[in-house]
C-alpha cells in the first residue's frame, strides 16, 4: 500500500497565496512522477502540475507563471506554491504519485484531496 497525505488547503482571498504539501509513504521503492490535480464542482478532474524525480515539470496553461511545483525526493514530498490565486482556482486539489513498489510492481496512488477556496 502507498498512502498520500495532503495538507495546506484553505480559504484565501483573490490575489493571495497558499502552499500545498503532500507526502507519500508505505511500500515505495521509487517515485517517478508526483503532482497535483484538481476538481471543481460539476467539472472533470484536471491536471495542475507534475514533476519528475529529475525535476522536469509540466503545468496546465491556466496556472503557468502563478503556480510552482517542487519536490523533495528524500522526503517523498511534493509541494505546490500557488500565488495570485483566482476564484476559478477554487477546487478540491488531489495529490498523485506514480512509481515502483519494493517488489517491482508499479503503483499510481491518489490522496484524499484538500479543499482550496478563493473568495473574490
Amino acid at each position: 500500500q502507498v498512502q498520500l497525505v495532503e495538507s495546506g488547503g484553505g480559504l484565501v482571498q483573490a490575489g493571495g497565496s497558499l502552499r500545498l504539501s503532500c507526502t507519500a509513504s508505505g511500500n515505495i521503492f521509487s517515485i517517478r512522477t508526483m503532482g497535483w490535480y484538481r476538481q471543481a464542482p460539476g467539472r472533470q478532474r484536471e491536471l495542475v502540475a507534475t514533476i519528475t524525480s529529475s525535476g522536469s515539470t509540466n503545468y496546465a496553461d491556466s496556472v503557468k507563471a502563478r503556480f510552482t511545483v517542487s519536490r523533495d525526493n528524500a522526503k517523498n514530498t511534493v509541494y505546490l506554491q500557488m500565488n495570485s490565486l483566482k476564484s476559478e482556482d477554487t477546487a478540491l486539489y488531489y495529490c498523485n504519485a506514480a512509481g515502483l513498489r519494493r517488489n517491482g510492481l508499479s503503483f499510481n496512488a491518489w490522496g484524499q484531496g484538500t479543499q482550496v477556496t478563493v473568495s473574490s
Side-chain angles (χ1 to χ4, degrees), residues 7-8 17 22 40:
S7 63
S17 299
C22 170

Side-chain angles (χ1 to χ4, degrees), residues 22-89:
C22 170
T23 298
S25 63
N27 185 5
I28 298 170
F29 175 73
S30 64
I31 302 178
R32 180 181 67 256
T33 303
M34 300 188 80
W36 296 92
Y37 293 73
R38 67 187 182 187
Q39 187 168 17
R43 302 189 66 173
Q44 288 188 331
R45 189 175 298 188
E46 63 178 5
L47 177 145
V48 176
T50 60
I51 183 168
T52 67
S53 57
S54 61
S56 296
T57 57
N58 182 40
Y59 293 93
D61 288 342
S62 59
V63 307
K64 282 181 181 177
R66 298 189 298 124
F67 291 9
T68 301
V69 63
S70 61
R71 177 172 171 173
D72 185 333
N73 291 328
K75 296 181 179 179
N76 287 340
T77 298
V78 63
Y79 306 96
L80 185 68
Q81 178 66 43
M82 304 184 293
N83 298 328
S84 302
L85 282 160
K86 305 176 181 180
S87 57
E88 51 262 45
D89 295 318

